[in-house]
Amino acid sequence: MPRPITAVIHRQSLQHNLNVARTKMPNSQVYAVVKANAYGHGIERVYQAFKAADGFALLDLAEAKRIRALGWTGPILLLEGIFSEQDLFDCQELGLSFSIHSEYQLEWLARFPLNAQFDVYLKMNSGMNRLGFRPEQYRQVWQQLSNLPQVQRLTHMMHFSDADGERLGRDGIEHQCQLFDAITHDLPGARSVCNSAAILRHADLSSDVIRSGIMLYGSSPDFPAHTVDDWNLQPAMSLRSEIIAVQQLKAGDSVGYGSKFIAETDMRVGIVACGYADGYQRLSKTGTPILVDGQRSHLIGRVSMDMLAVDLTTIPDAGVGSEVVLWGKSSQGAVLSIDEVAAGSGTIGYELMCAVTARVNFVQD
Ligand SMILES: *Cc1c(COP(=O)(O)O)cnc(C)c1O
């Protein structure tokens, strides 16, 4: 029998979450962001649910090819654009849209054979200072692109640095919107500005194409300000395992490497077949929530490579073979949000779902 750890991908939850994005911004085209192998869920595993989207957005040509191989004929957007001049041939052959964020990409495009008809997203750097043209350059680049015969369609694109936070004014989302609008308002073409946080928190924004990522996978982009329940999102991934041993501790006994947890009273401890080599964060603190037989308990001691320990004090019926949910849903439907678990190691749901390792068996329900 294989080791009992399993990542279950819930197709209905993926569908539900996609509908939440649609309902929030009903006049927008919803692109499903499936970079990083669909945030760790597996492109092939999410495709059935997400083919109801209007497009896919991702980073790699290899991932774009996988989507085409599944039969998708609609739009695919390369969020970071092309990485070499050669990539343009793949974009042409596969019918991919791409962003242009830097001068060198513009030069590659201008040199490309004239028979191409690309769908280009011109990216503005509105304050994040990662990718894009500065507002004062933007109109000139837009003009250059408009004049290229290789460009069939141009969409204005921008990415928020603070859509999940409280920064609204001078440096935050309002400022970025104002800049973007001031520069683009009289230019033709569609606009694409919203990520998940903007879709959920600022649904009044105007964005013809929205790029929903994390919300589709059932994690709240602005936890703890809002939980998945607040946003009506369902976990799309459940990391489940089992208790494989039970230890009866006496007061003063310790658990795990470094003896970081010391029992204050006699207590029962379950040893779970899950460790950092499965993608569970090693830096998770004692107290990080865990479900055992659908009931809430918590991690104790240090996470090791293949195992971790859970407090069974309040779950006397639990024992070897009991179901353990590290995040997601129990088989009986109890939910532990990935955001709460991520907080236990000072990270975010995004990182946990992307970090599940290859040795974990993935299944779909
Ligand atoms: C990853 C990404 C998104 C999706 O962001 P979420 O916070 O996961 O919704 C949108 N746009 C760009 C440019 C991205 O890189």
Side-chain angles (χ1 to χ4, degrees):
M1 200 180 132
R3 196 161 157 268
I5 188 161
T6 306
V8 185
I9 306 302
H10 308 290
R11 190 204 290 192
Q12 283 188 347
S13 302
L14 294 164
Q15 270 165 348
H16 168 89
N17 296 337
L18 181 65
N19 275 332
V20 173
R22 266 212 196 290
T23 311
K24 275 280 177 189
M25 299 188 70
N27 300 320
S28 300
Q29 293 208 317
V30 182
Y31 279 29
V33 180
V34 294
K35 62 191 178 189
N37 198 21
Y39 290 48
H41 293 61
I43 284 178
E44 287 75 13
R45 288 182 208 99
V46 301
Y47 178 69
Q48 282 304 320
F50 289 172
K51 68 182 189 189
D54 300 300
F56 287 90
L58 40 67
L59 304 180
D60 286 285
L61 281 173
E63 289 185 338
K65 285 178 186 162
R66 283 162 65 190
I67 302 256
R68 287 284 181 243
L70 290 163
W72 178 253
T73 55
I76 299 179
L77 169 62
L78 300 177
L79 291 166
E80 286 182 358
I82 43 177
F83 299 99
S84 78
E85 196 161 354
Q86 284 303 308
D87 286 354
L88 286 170
F89 289 96
D90 291 289
C91 289
Q92 187 179 33
E93 194 184 317
L94 296 163
L96 308 180
S97 319
F98 51 87
S99 74
I100 292 234
H101 58 73
S102 293
E103 204 73 45
Y104 66 89
Q105 295 172 321
L106 192 66
E107 287 163 19
W108 290 341
L109 184 59
R111 283 204 294 261
F112 196 78
L114 297 182
N115 61 351
Q117 286 284 287
F118 289 119
D119 179 14
V120 175
Y121 284 60
L122 178 57
K123 186 147 189 194
M124 184 188 296
N125 170 11
S126 60
M128 172 92 102
N129 286 310
R130 297 191 313 189
L131 302 180
F133 294 93
R134 300 188 65 82
E136 55 274 23
Q137 298 173 281
Y138 187 88
R139 291 180 72 98
Q140 191 222 328
V141 178
W142 184 86
Q143 195 59 55
Q144 270 176 283
L145 276 171
S146 305
N147 292 337
L148 287 185
Q150 296 92 335
V151 176
Q152 178 188 44
R153 191 161 46 159
L154 258 176
T155 300
H156 305 282
M157 178 181 183
M158 183 261 275
H159 193 52
F160 291 118
S161 53
D162 290 270
D164 58 333
E166 296 308 317
R167 279 152 58 98
L168 297 176
R170 170 70 185 83
D171 305 314
I173 182 166
E174 281 168 9
H175 179 64
Q176 283 180 280
C177 284
Q178 277 164 14
L179 260 183
F180 185 75
D181 289 343
I183 303 291
T184 63
H185 71 99
D186 59 343
L187 300 177
R191 279 136 179 80
S192 176
V193 299
C194 289
N195 59 1
S196 295
I199 295 164
L200 293 169
R201 294 170 63 99
H202 305 282
D204 54 325
L205 287 172
S206 154
S207 185
D208 304 294
V209 174
I210 58 176
R211 310 184 301 266
S212 47
I214 194 69
M215 64 178 294
L216 302 184
Y217 304 98
S219 165
S220 169
D222 64 347
F223 183 84
H226 294 93
T227 65
V228 276
D229 286 342
D230 294 335
W231 294 130
N232 180 27
L233 300 171
Q234 300 174 1
M237 177 196 285
S238 299
L239 187 64
R240 295 182 188 156
S241 188
E242 289 180 7
I243 292 180
I244 56 169
V246 173
Q247 301 297 337
Q248 184 67 55
L249 303 189
K250 298 254 180 279
D253 287 351
S254 66
V255 178
Y257 287 118
S259 301
K260 289 292 170 195
F261 176 83
I262 297 180
E264 287 177 7
T265 56
D266 294 3
M267 65 185 290
R268 285 174 81 236
V269 171
I271 304 301
V272 181
C274 176
Y276 62 78
D278 300 299
Y280 195 91
Q281 296 281 308
R282 181 176 172 277
L283 295 178
S284 304
K285 293 191 178 61
T286 289
T288 302
I290 294 177
L291 302 181
V292 179
D293 286 338
Q295 299 178 62
R296 249 178 114 97
S297 183
H298 57 264
L299 176 75
I300 56 178
R302 257 194 203 155
V303 174
S304 46
M305 183 183 275
D306 313 311
M307 282 174 268
L308 56 80
V310 61
D311 187 349
L312 297 182
T313 311
T314 58
I315 316 173
D317 293 337
V320 170
S322 286
E323 182 188 75
V324 174
V325 172
L326 288 318
W327 63 73
K329 272 189 291 195
S330 78
S331 48
Q332 304 304 319
V335 172
L336 173 59
S337 89
I338 195 167
D339 304 315
E340 275 190 81
V341 179
S345 59
T347 186
I348 51 178
Y350 295 79
E351 190 178 17
L352 291 195
M353 52 180 78
C354 291
V356 177
T357 59
R359 80 177 189 185
V360 174
N361 179 36
F362 277 78
V363 299
Q364 281 169 277
D365 81 354

